[in-house]
């Protein structure tokens, strides 16, 4: 279990155990690989981030993860696995989010990318993301750092 503050100074708790905070979290976040690169999206307000969003009524969290990747990047998920869950103790609300690691097999142009400008494919993530204005606040706390470490050490290269 890891505890740290986010970009807005909210308390975040991250765990790689099986759904430690909620069996039915309201949000998902998907760290995506595509052809050996990272696949992200550019949110119109927040900037560049891995795709994700809210779980809709009637869908599982994994279905939400696959849908969000398609909506925000045009990517078709070939394989996906749960890696952990985090809790954000926000000023107004509390958020519980599942983190997934996904392999995207193909990208197809979409009519709309909803609240984003569509896919962003990167060979490497910048080392100084925390200082970069073009990146979203959700990429700027230790959730990303620990998840990338987990992927590197525990999951086969994709
Ligand atoms: P919409 O309802 O989609 O307009 O978004 P919202 O920002 O109003 O609500 P959401 O439920 O997505 O998030 C509520 C608050 O929780 C945000 O303002 C953030 O402070 C926090 N939050 C949501 N997701 C994350 C995240 O991935 N990381 C961190 N650190 N905070 C988050």
């Amino acid at each position: 279990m890891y505890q740290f503050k986010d970009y807005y100074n909210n308390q975040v708790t991250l765990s790689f155990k099986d759904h430690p905070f909620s069996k039915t979290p309201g949000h998902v976040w998907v760290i995506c690989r595509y052809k050996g690169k990272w696949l992200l999206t550019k949110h119109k307000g927040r900037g560049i981030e891995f795709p994700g969003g809210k779980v809709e009524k009637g869908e599982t969290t994994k279905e939400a993860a696959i849908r969000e990747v398609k909506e925000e990047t045009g990517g078709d998920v070939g394989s996906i696995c749960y890696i952990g869950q985090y809790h954000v103790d926000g000023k107004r609300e509390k958020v519980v989010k599942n983190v997934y690691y996904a392999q995207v097999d193909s990208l197809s142009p979409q009519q709309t990318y909803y609240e984003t400008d569509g896919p962003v494919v990167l060979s490497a993530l910048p080392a100084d993301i925390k200082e970069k204005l073009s990146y979203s606040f959700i990429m700027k706390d230790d959730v990303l750092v620990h998840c990338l470490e987990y992927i590197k050490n525990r999951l086969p290269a994709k």
Side-chain angles (χ1 to χ4, degrees), residues 6 8 10 12 27 54 86 88 93 95 97 137-138 141:
D6 75 359
Y8 294 118
N10 292 321
V12 182
H27 297 71
K54 289 186 179 137
Y86 62 98
V88 183
E93 48 193 319
V95 167
K97 203 172 273 205
F137 81 94
I138 70 171
D141 59 48

Side-chain angles (χ1 to χ4, degrees), residues 99-118:
V99 186
Y100 292 90
Y101 183 50
Q103 173 71 38
V104 168
D105 289 342
S106 56
L107 271 187
S108 51
Q110 303 294 297
Q111 296 273 10
T112 172
Y113 292 97
Y114 296 84
E115 63 271 36
T116 85
D117 291 329

Side-chain angles (χ1 to χ4, degrees), residues 4-8 10-12 26-29 43 46 49 53-54 86-97 115 136-141 143:
F4 44 86
K5 297 282 175 132
D6 75 359
Y7 184 77
Y8 294 118
N10 292 321
Q11 186 69 37
V12 182
H27 297 71
V28 293
W29 197 44
H43 188 278
R46 296 190 295 262
E49 61 189 25
K54 289 186 179 137
Y86 62 98
H87 176 276
V88 183
D89 202 352
K91 307 221 162 37
R92 270 169 301 176
E93 48 193 319
K94 298 182 194 324
V95 167
V96 178
K97 203 172 273 205
E115 63 271 36
S136 164
F137 81 94
I138 70 171
M139 302 285 288
K140 290 178 176 167
D141 59 48
V143 169

